[in-house]
Amino acid sequence: MKQRRKNLLRYAAEAECDILVTTEPENLFYMTGFWGEALGVLEKNGKTTIIAPELEAGRAKDESSDCTVVTAQRGMGLISTLAELVKSRACTDCQDYSTMNTMKRLIPKIKHAPELFEHARIIKDASELKILKKASRIIDDMFELCAKEMYAGQKESELQAILMSYAAGREMFDTGYNSTLNPLIIAGGPNGALPHAQVTSRKFKRRDLVVVDLTLRHGGYVSDATRTFAIGRITSDMSDAYEIVKESQYMGLQKARPGVKCSDVDHTCRKFIQERGFGKYFIHSTGHGIGLQVHEEPSISSRSKTVLEKDMAITVEPGIYVPGSFGVRIEDSIIVRDRPISMHKFTKDLVVV
């Protein structure tokens, strides 16, 4: 925790801020070890304070590390107490417009700078990588479960129920990602052509490709991986698309090394798919950072200006999506090293059930 606070304060100093204030649970967890409804305050001398409502104060004291916990009324009470503590230049990650306006009124020297927290979190420490590796092993076990439990006639929602029951028993939980109504992506046949398909009651059919994207949280951290399965014999077009994605993903994994631009990883995957005639069907970026959020810095896209560094945690996930027909995606969460480390060992060969 001390090293994380040093990371935060280094970026705060560059922005000429004496104090960091977090309102976001991910950043609060990174700063204090506590995930909940509260404000976190980090001063340049390292002193860390949690301002929490009474209903969260007990847990904040138990779960945080080297923090002073101050109680306040929810809502305006938290901001008023914050104003009493912050008397010099401060930066905050606050994403709520109304709250930010109130902060500015009560704390004139505060400014909006969420990028400070994003930059501090982009390199993972040993404890973070340990949790990510454990989460990734459990996801691999869930792919093994797919290979055993998936069958023609099964509903997407039925497979999701099996997988989530298994996950919960191993302390893997829904990420709460607000752009989906479902914890997982399980997309058979034409549903697989939708990269962010919602889980439905559609039944798997013979000759379906089934995209299974498992994005789950363990110990606060998110691992993310995708495999595509086949229900019986598939068409030659499907088989060709699968092998192209598989090779594209392999090339992206090999490219993702320290000193390489994120945009070059995207280009490597995209160029291969384009050369094989499926370029118009690769409709999203090649990957993203993972950690305390599902999608965090760096973005593995053509627009990214970020250069990869050792111990960044990212995904590499090219895909082909043929509207109304099928989709293929293969994804690993990896650690950026001179020899990139994939945190997933489940086979990339097509598994036919």
Side-chain angles (χ1 to χ4, degrees):
M1 198 62 66
K2 287 183 180 179
Q3 184 58 50
R4 296 184 191 183
R5 290 171 186 163
K6 286 181 180 178
N7 291 342
L8 289 165
L9 290 171
R10 176 164 60 90
Y11 287 105
E14 291 175 3
E16 299 183 338
C17 288
D18 299 320
I19 298 174
L20 285 177
V21 176
T22 177
T23 66
E24 302 303 307
E26 297 88 356
N27 292 329
L28 180 67
F29 182 82
Y30 184 82
M31 180 190 289
T32 71
F34 168 66
W35 191 303
E37 179 189 349
L39 305 179
V41 182
L42 176 61
E43 301 177 44
K44 65 180 180 180
N45 61 5
K47 181 180 179 182
T48 309
T49 303
I50 297 174
I51 306 171
E54 189 67 38
L55 79 169
E56 292 276 53
R59 196 163 60 85
K61 291 175 183 176
D62 290 343
E63 297 176 11
S64 64
S65 176
D66 298 321
C67 295
T68 299
V69 177
V70 176
T71 59
Q73 292 294 317
R74 299 173 85 178
M76 270 300 300
L78 297 176
I79 306 302
S80 297
T81 303
L82 175 68
E84 294 173 6
L85 290 177
V86 178
K87 300 301 182 183
S88 58
R89 296 168 301 181
C91 291
T92 182
D93 60 356
C94 180
Q95 300 296 321
D96 182 77
Y97 180 80
S98 176
T99 302
M100 190 69 224
N101 278 344
T102 302
M103 282 188 182
K104 286 182 176 179
R105 179 168 55 82
L106 296 178
I107 311 169
K109 292 184 178 181
I110 199 165
K111 65 180 179 179
H112 185 240
E115 68 278 2
L116 302 185
F117 296 86
E118 294 168 4
H119 293 160
R121 285 168 34 198
I122 201 168
I123 305 296
K124 271 53 183 183
D125 62 32
S127 63
E128 292 175 299
L129 293 176
K130 182 178 180 180
I131 297 171
L132 284 169
K133 287 177 181 178
K134 182 177 179 181
S136 299
R137 288 196 298 270
I138 297 170
I139 284 178
D140 280 354
D141 292 342
M142 293 171 70
F143 286 134
E144 295 283 1
L145 191 60
C146 286
K148 295 176 183 177
E149 297 287 345
M150 190 186 300
Y151 60 90
Q154 183 184 45
K155 295 178 182 178
E156 293 172 353
S157 56
E158 289 173 337
L159 181 58
Q160 177 172 252
I162 292 169
L163 292 173
M164 288 307 295
S165 176
Y166 183 92
R170 287 148 186 83
E171 298 183 346
M172 289 279 279
F173 302 106
D174 182 8
T175 63
Y177 191 50
N178 61 9
S179 294
T180 181
L181 296 172
N182 292 277
L184 308 177
I185 296 173
I186 299 172
N191 290 348
L194 305 170
H196 287 172
Q198 297 290 323
V199 173
T200 72
S201 59
R202 181 188 182 276
K203 294 180 179 179
F204 302 137
K205 299 178 181 179
R206 306 298 295 179
R207 295 202 167 195
D208 270 357
L209 284 174
V210 181
V211 177
V212 179
D213 187 334
L214 305 180
T215 307
L216 294 163
R217 189 185 300 279
H218 176 76
Y221 288 83
V222 176
S223 183
D224 190 3
T226 305
R227 293 294 185 268
T228 302
F229 298 83
I231 308 288
R233 186 175 180 179
I234 57 175
T235 67
S236 59
D237 283 349
M238 292 177 180
S239 181
D240 289 346
Y242 186 92
E243 293 303 319
I244 290 167
V245 171
K246 177 183 171 184
E247 182 63 21
S248 170
Q249 203 245 2
Y250 174 79
M251 293 170 70
L253 292 175
Q254 296 305 304
K255 188 72 174 178
R257 300 168 188 266
V260 174
K261 295 178 181 177
C262 292
S263 57
D264 287 345
V265 179
D266 181 89
H267 177 72
T268 296
C269 292
R270 198 169 303 280
K271 183 172 182 287
F272 183 81
I273 291 176
Q274 287 172 339
E275 289 174 345
R276 297 323 187 261
F278 283 91
K280 69 178 181 179
Y281 300 120
F282 183 10
I283 58 176
H284 56 70
S285 61
T286 292
H288 54 84
I290 57 166
L292 292 170
Q293 292 174 289
V294 177
H295 294 145
E296 57 182 54
E297 291 297 321
S299 170
I300 314 301
S301 72
S302 60
R303 299 180 300 278
S304 177
K305 300 185 186 306
T306 303
V307 175
L308 292 172
E309 296 181 52
K310 180 177 179 289
D311 289 341
M312 286 182 175
I314 65 171
T315 69
V316 178
E317 49 178 304
I320 290 173
Y321 309 92
V322 181
S325 185
F326 68 88
V328 178
R329 182 163 67 253
I330 301 173
E331 172 188 19
D332 285 5
S333 291
I334 75 167
I335 303 167
V336 177
R337 295 278 176 84
D338 289 333
R339 291 186 178 182
I341 300 172
S342 173
M343 291 185 274
H344 300 278
K345 307 304 179 187
F346 188 80
T347 183
K348 310 289 180 66
D349 295 334
L350 181 63
V351 175
V352 180
V353 298

